[in-house]
Each structure stands twice: as C-alpha cells, then as structure tokens.
Amino acid sequence: MTEIQAGTEGAAGAAATAPAPDSPPVPAIELAGVVKEYLAHGEVVQAVKGITMTISEGEFFSLLGPSGCGKTTTMRMIAGFEDPSRGTVRLHGQDVTDVPPNKRDVNMVFQSYALFPHMNVWENVAFGLRRKKVAAAEIKRRVGEMLEIVDLTGREKRRPREMSGGQQQRVALARALVNNPRALLLDEPLGALDLKLRQAMQIELKRIQREVGITFVYVTHDQSEALTMSDRIAVMNDGLVEQLAAPREIYERPATAFVAGFIGTSNLLGGTVDRVASGCAVLRAGDEGRILVAGDAHRAGDDVTVTVRPEKITISAEEPGGEVSAVRGTVSEVVYLGLYNSYAVRLADGAEITVFQQNALDSTSTAERGEAVWLSWQPRHSYAIGS
Amino acid sequence: MKRLTPYLLILPGGMWLLIFLVVPMVFMASVSTQEGDIVNGFVQTFNVSVYGEALAQYRTQFLRSVGYGLVATVVSVAMAYPMAYWIAFRGGARKSTYLLLVLLPFFVSFVLRTISWKFLLADDGLLLSPLKSTGLLPDDFHILQTTTAVIGGLVYNYLPFMILPIYVALERVDPRVIEAAQDLYASKREAFAKIVLPLSLPGVFAGVLMTFVPMTADYVNAGILGGPANTMIGNIIQIEYLTNQDYPVASALSFTLMAAMLIGIFAYARALGTENVLEAAAR
C-alpha cells in the first residue's frame, strides 16, 4: 500500500465553498446538555449523560475513550442517526436536533466503511452528489478530482470487495469529502487497518484535513492516534467528558485519574502533604521518600494523588540531591524495548512504578533486576489530580 | 486420498441424482416415443409426432398453467417482500419466532391443508354460509372452482418459498450501508430504491425460481380448489398417466413442460441476472 499522493486542485475546490471570511466566527458544532437514554431490558440506560461542548470551524477534534463510553453515540447524534433524549445539537449555529441525517450538511466515514457493495468506486463516490442533483458534468469533475486526492485514479470501475482495506478506506473518505461537507465525522476509520498502514493513514488524514480545511470529528479508542492527529481531544468515560483540551495538555496535565490512566502509561502515587516550601508541596512517601508537587494549591495535611509519566523519572543508585521528588524501590522487571528500557520498580508500600529510560550511548543509568534504586523527578512533573 | 475428497463428498448426492433423476428421465424420454397401449404393451417406434399432437390438444392448459404461474408469482412477490422486509428490519429479537410462523404451515401436509381450504371456502362452508344467510353475499356466490381460488391456493402454498430467500437477502444488508446512504443525502425512499432493493434482488430472483417452477407444474391446487375451467397441465399429465394410462402422451407432455421451463428460466436469468440488475440499480 502506497501513501496517498496529494492533488491540490481538490483542496482548492473545497476551500472555495468555505464560508465567507467576513462572517462572524460561528462554532462548527455545538452540543448543549445532550443526553441520550434508551430502554434496555425495561431499564433506562444513559449512553450519554450530559455533554456540552463546542467544536470550532476547521478543527481536528477527537472523541477519545474506551468502548461503551458514549463517544460513538455522541457522534451519531451529530450525524443525526440518533435523536438526543434531551439537549440541543447545533451545526454552524443552526439547531438541527430534529433534522434527519440526509438534511444535515455533515458527512460520515463509517467504522467498517459501509461502502455500497453493488456499486463501483466511481458510483460510490458520486452517490451523494447525485442525490443532491448536481449537474452530471460537475459530478464527473468533482469525483475525478477527489479520486485523485485519495490516489484511486484508474480504479473507478472496481467494486469494493475487489479492493484492499486501505483502498476501501480511501473510497469511504472520498465518498464523504466529495460533497464538501461543513464537517466530516469519522468513526474509528482506521480500526480495521494494520499498524503500518494505520500510521501512514493518520498522517494522510491530517494532511487532507489541512488541505480541505473542514472540521474533522474523529472517534477513536486509540490514544496515540488521538494524540498524533488532534487539535483538541475530549476524553470520554461512562457517558461524560472527563477532560477537553489539547493533546499536550491532556498528556501532561490529566484532569482525572481516569484520563491519567487512559492516556499513555502513568504512575499514580499518593501521600499526605507534610509542608509547603518554596512554591512546592512536599508529600511524605515512605520512610525516606518525598514527592514534590509544584504549585501552591495544597495545604499541610491534605491527601493528594499525583501522576508521573514514566519517561519523566530518572533511575539512580545514589540518593539524588536538590529540589526533586525521590522515592526508593527495588527493580522487579526490566524490559528491553529497543528505543528505551521499561523498568518496573516496586516501592516499599507495594506500589509499582513504571519508568522508561532512553537507551543512551553510555549505559550508566541502567539497573539490574533486584537492584535497590532511587527514582527521582522534577516537581513540575508531579501532577496532582482530582480523585 | 486428499485429491479424492471433494469427489467423495459429492458422491452420495451425485448418485442419488443419477439414479432418481437421470435414469427416470431417460426412461421417460424413451417412453414418450413409444406406441401401443397398456394392455398390449408399448413398443419403441421413435414416434416424435406425439409431441406435436399432445401440445396441440392441450395448448389451452399449457398456456393457462404458465399464466397462473406468472400471476401467482407476481402476487407472491408483492406479498412476500413486505413480510420479509418487516421481519428482517423490524423483527428485533423475535425474528426467529416470525420465521417459524412463516414455516408453520409446513408442519401440516400440503394436500391436507389444501383440502381444508376446500372445506372452509365451500359454497355452504364455514366462511360463506353465515355471510350468505345474513344476506351479505348473494346465494350463488362461490369461491371454489374459480381462477381466483386456484391462484390463491398456489400463492398460499408456495409463499414461504418466496419469503425465505428474500428474507435472507435483506438480512444480509448491512444497516450501516443504509445509514451511509441517508448520510449522503438520500431520503428514506431513495435509500430503499438505491440500496435495499438492489441488494435484495438476488433473493427475489431466487424466490421467483423456487416458486414459479413448482407453481406452474402444480396440479393439487387446480385439482382440489379449481373446476373444469381451471385445469392445469399438471392435472392433464396426471390424468394421462393414471386414468388414461397413455404413457407416451403423458411423458411427452412432461418433457415439453420441463423443456419450456428450462428455456424460460435461462431467458429470465440472462435478462435479469443479478449482476445486470445490480448494474442497472447502481445508476
């Protein structure tokens, strides 16, 4: 599978239909107090428990969460396939809560592509334009341009079943994008592809989004995918948004324990604030250890939970000096992962801390299994979270 | 051994067809060109004129059978499609119950069911006598011995064979494909016409094959529910074999019917083959 080659004509065509620059900035998508309930075995189940958020024009926005968190239901309410039980959905300022999907100016890329099996590639891509009664000559031009963008020129006559997963994926993308929708909704579109192709497609999707300049709403359970591509991410759990922020913010400063655990590998440590000194709260950790948390949000006696990313931690044999967090433990596992080593270090209280150490030229910072070590990190890398 | 396995797998069915289909057919072909009678025996004379004579004699019944078969097939499609659609898309958790209901008549013998219809629909039967005694229907009104009764019986008896293949085809339509059509600006009606209907046509095609052929060759419904004016070619073949014992004529008629059906079906498949239909629907 080759990467998609860019064709700039299509992007220019799409940009031409974007709203006039002097119109006031209206958010592309707004959800206000949206709740989705349904009846299962006589009981009311809340798939979405109340979501209010705003997605800006041209944004690459991800809904990230484990399966069953309500992210797909949320997207389906934006597309119009599900009616919210309560709340309002607005597209470009217009209340579309009761508008059927065929009357909404958004298009969707389905999880399993949902290509029309009895139509060839060209007919699949032309479907939406034909329904909109676009003139035949223009359909021909736009479908041709779009197939060029997704690198499927010459495969117009193929049936979906005669194509690879990656090609089907691109047909699905072209079929939605050719309509110049105001927003594109993507429901785990790369889930069925193998890792290499998925990574290539992530970059491609991001490029296409930049070129056509429309809002992308991307549903995924893959945190690295969301971090790679998104301008902003809404991390969802159990029908609610746990945190809505830029990828870096979500990774570095998770708002809840769920977000910390779901995004990347993260260590959770807890302790009671011993004293507050020079802009740092100092937590006692075991007999010899200390955890420093930057900021002045905590008072002595507070119970605080902090997260630390594995790559922020340094392993050393000697007790580190200076204003750093330092805890003592025993290496229980070392896994060589090429680019870095992953250490599991068990603390005296039984907690296990994961540490990533990059494999440098000199191997002074390596530790053996069973070795007693000190773990240390900067105060700003201890991030206190709400429980 | 590995190379033989596929052949071994088709052996039982193949033998069955060879013994109980091919052999009788060869035998029947041979009988159709013999001359004689049941008392003195039949002698092979390669007399093919019997085909022309039999066909000329029973042309009306032949055409009537094809006509009944066509009408009953069209009525069956019209009744089966909405039922299959409803079960496939609205059946929910009870789909298998509804399918069982469709198949329930099969638990009673075909002939027995048709005979009970005869009782129900008789001129002074359970249905008509109360309606007549209350004056809702004229005294000379009758259902039995009419074309309607025979076609009704055909539709009733073969309807499940139309419902099942259509249901299977509809069941295989991915609901997300329908959603995709609606997402791409198709109204519910357009989504049905452009997506659901074309994708279910192979089922309709199979259903038509499975019902048109046995309905056209049927003789039970015409025999039980119909009158002298409704005689179908199946009844004629039965009479020639069992009553007149004119084996050559009966064989010739059977062969002609079979040949006509085969030609008709090949023409139908060529004209409406699934691929062609799908091509047309994709536009």
Side-chain angles (χ1 to χ4, degrees):
Chain A
M1 190 60 43
T2 55
E3 280 184 23
I4 296 170
Q5 295 304 310
T8 45
E9 307 88 349
T17 60
D22 57 338
S23 61
V26 178
I29 299 165
E30 283 173 276
L31 300 180
V34 169
V35 174
K36 178 64 187 177
E37 296 173 334
Y38 51 87
L39 219 56
H41 307 291
E43 272 180 68
V44 176
V45 178
Q46 282 197 326
V48 173
K49 295 181 177 169
I51 288 185
T52 298
M53 62 188 182
T54 304
I55 301 170
S56 317
E57 187 77 59
E59 191 173 21
F60 197 119
F61 189 93
S62 289
L63 290 167
L64 173 65
S67 56
C69 71
K71 57 188 191 297
T72 296
T73 309
T74 305
M75 165 169 283
R76 289 173 60 82
M77 286 190 286
I78 299 172
F81 294 123
E82 310 273 356
D83 294 326
S85 310
R86 284 192 291 282
T88 316
V89 179
R90 272 188 289 272
L91 296 176
H92 300 93
Q94 202 176 16
D95 185 344
V96 295
T97 315
D98 300 317
V99 175
N102 58 321
K103 302 262 166 62
R104 293 192 189 193
D105 203 8
V106 294
N107 288 117
M108 187 152 165
V109 176
F110 288 78
Q111 191 166 7
S112 52
Y113 317 137
L115 297 178
F116 306 129
H118 57 306
M119 299 185 188
N120 64 32
V121 168
W122 197 92
E123 290 157 346
N124 262 281
V125 176
F127 189 87
L129 296 176
R130 280 173 163 176
R131 299 288 84 72
K132 284 204 287 192
K133 307 269 185 287
V134 173
E138 198 190 335
I139 293 181
K140 208 168 168 214
R141 182 183 62 79
R142 278 166 69 175
V143 172
E145 277 177 9
M146 191 43 72
L147 288 176
E148 205 168 305
I149 288 189
V150 297
D151 197 26
L152 284 171
T153 306
R155 295 201 169 84
E156 289 87 350
K157 296 270 179 258
R158 295 273 186 91
R159 289 285 177 83
R161 64 165 179 274
E162 299 163 349
M163 309 186 85
S164 70
Q167 288 172 328
Q168 290 185 29
Q169 158 71 64
R170 286 180 282 162
V171 177
L173 196 62
R175 186 178 68 172
L177 279 176
V178 75
N179 305 296
N180 289 338
R182 302 284 295 270
L184 185 70
L185 312 175
L186 301 104
D187 186 9
E188 309 228 7
L190 308 181
L193 304 180
D194 62 58
L195 182 67
K196 250 206 143 79
L197 188 54
R198 194 156 71 223
Q199 287 168 342
M201 282 302 294
Q202 285 173 10
I203 296 164
E204 280 313 303
L205 274 178
K206 188 71 186 158
R207 180 187 62 73
I208 290 172
Q209 193 255 342
R210 250 195 327 268
E211 278 181 13
V212 298
I214 62 173
T215 313
F216 272 37
V217 180
Y218 194 94
V219 162
T220 182
H221 65 269
D222 183 332
Q223 40 115 352
S224 75
E225 204 165 275
L227 292 173
T228 312
M229 297 196 282
S230 317
D231 295 320
R232 283 195 306 155
I233 300 172
V235 183
M236 288 186 66
N237 182 36
D238 199 23
L240 288 170
V241 174
E242 296 258 335
Q243 187 174 9
L244 199 168
R248 192 179 179 84
E249 170 92 2
I250 287 205
Y251 186 80
E252 301 283 349
R253 307 172 71 82
T256 64
F258 174 81
V259 176
F262 191 73
I263 310 288
T265 312
S266 155
N267 298 302
L268 284 179
L269 297 111
T272 309
V273 178
D274 190 42
R275 61 198 152 84
V276 180
S278 58
C280 271
V282 181
L283 282 65
R284 191 188 302 281
D287 294 335
E288 313 159 276
R290 58 185 189 272
I291 297 167
L292 275 58
V293 185
D296 49 9
H298 306 290
R299 297 282 163 266
D302 286 358
D303 283 325
V304 177
T305 305
V306 302
T307 72
V308 191
R309 293 292 177 190
E311 70 275 14
K312 310 287 189 198
I313 302 174
T314 311
I315 289 189
S316 56
E318 305 297 321
E319 181 172 358
E323 288 288 299
V324 294
S325 302
V327 293
R328 201 164 159 69
T330 311
V331 178
S332 57
E333 202 66 68
V334 184
V335 182
Y336 176 72
L337 289 166
L339 187 61
Y340 58 88
N341 282 336
S342 170
Y343 298 92
V345 177
R346 192 168 295 282
L347 304 186
D349 64 0
E352 197 166 71
I353 303 292
T354 307
V355 180
F356 298 155
Q357 294 282 278
Q358 201 169 336
N359 283 321
L361 287 172
D362 59 345
S363 49
T364 49
S365 64
T366 58
E368 301 293 327
R369 204 158 73 89
E371 208 174 305
V373 292
W374 282 93
L375 304 178
S376 57
W377 62 93
Q378 295 296 319
R380 62 177 158 38
H381 291 145
S382 304
Y383 191 69
I385 56 172
S387 45
Chain B
M1 186 60 203
K2 271 230 171 84
R3 291 185 50 200
L4 279 177
T5 310
Y7 300 102
L8 289 174
L9 284 173
I10 61 163
L11 192 65
M15 289 301 288
W16 184 273
L17 285 177
L18 185 71
I19 295 166
F20 293 108
L21 184 75
V22 177
V23 172
M25 277 188 29
V26 171
F27 188 70
M28 206 167 75
S30 151
V31 169
S32 74
T33 53
Q34 291 174 8
E35 279 179 293
D37 60 57
I38 190 79
V39 181
N40 301 312
F42 295 97
V43 185
Q44 180 59 268
T45 56
F46 299 102
N47 167 35
V48 291
S49 64
V50 67
Y51 278 85
E53 287 159 18
L55 200 59
Q57 193 184 348
Y58 296 115
R59 194 166 154 268
T60 322
Q61 286 83 356
F62 238 111
L63 293 178
R64 184 185 291 141
S65 296
V66 174
Y68 282 10
L70 285 175
V71 174
T73 303
V74 170
V75 174
S76 295
V77 172
M79 287 174 70
Y81 199 97
M83 265 178 95
Y85 184 93
W86 191 86
I87 297 173
F89 290 113
R90 301 270 186 274
R94 297 236 173 97
K95 270 182 197 172
S96 34
T97 312
Y98 299 132
L99 285 178
L100 182 72
L101 289 178
V102 166
L103 293 174
L104 207 58
F106 288 152
F107 288 79
V108 179
S109 133
F110 177 60
V111 177
L112 213 59
R113 277 182 283 132
T114 313
I115 289 175
S116 45
W117 275 112
K118 187 175 178 160
F119 284 117
L120 284 171
L121 301 175
D123 291 355
D124 49 2
L126 277 173
L127 181 69
L128 294 190
S129 68
L131 292 173
K132 284 179 181 175
S133 61
T134 53
L136 284 167
L137 286 174
D139 269 350
D140 59 349
F141 184 85
H142 59 97
I143 294 175
L144 291 182
Q145 313 219 345
T146 62
T147 304
T148 316
V150 178
I151 291 177
L154 288 172
V155 171
Y156 161 73
N157 276 308
Y158 291 97
L159 194 62
F161 295 107
M162 186 67 89
I163 295 176
L164 290 180
I166 298 179
Y167 166 79
V168 170
L170 285 170
E171 172 67 24
R172 280 170 47 191
V173 176
D174 183 351
R176 278 170 303 196
V177 169
I178 304 168
E179 286 188 344
Q182 289 173 7
D183 186 60
L184 295 162
Y185 318 110
S187 62
K188 290 213 158 126
R189 191 185 295 256
E190 281 177 308
F192 175 78
K194 294 286 172 188
I195 308 297
V196 180
L197 185 62
L199 289 177
S200 64
L201 280 181
V204 178
F205 185 85
V208 168
L209 282 188
M210 284 170 71
T211 54
F212 174 72
V213 176
M215 286 198 294
T216 304
D218 186 86
Y219 66 94
V220 173
N221 287 285
I224 295 175
L225 303 174
N230 309 115
T231 315
M232 291 171 73
I233 196 65
N235 304 88
I236 300 296
I237 294 170
Q238 186 204 18
I239 289 165
E240 288 292 352
Y241 259 119
L242 302 178
T243 312
N244 298 351
Q245 294 180 324
D246 191 341
Y247 294 167
V249 167
S251 303
L253 284 173
S254 299
F255 248 89
T256 313
L257 179 63
M258 208 153 62
M261 292 288 207
L262 278 174
I263 292 166
I265 282 161
F266 276 119
Y268 165 72
R270 271 197 85 96
L272 286 172
T274 33
E275 281 297 310
N276 294 343
V277 173
L278 293 184
E279 300 271 317
R283 273 192 278 279

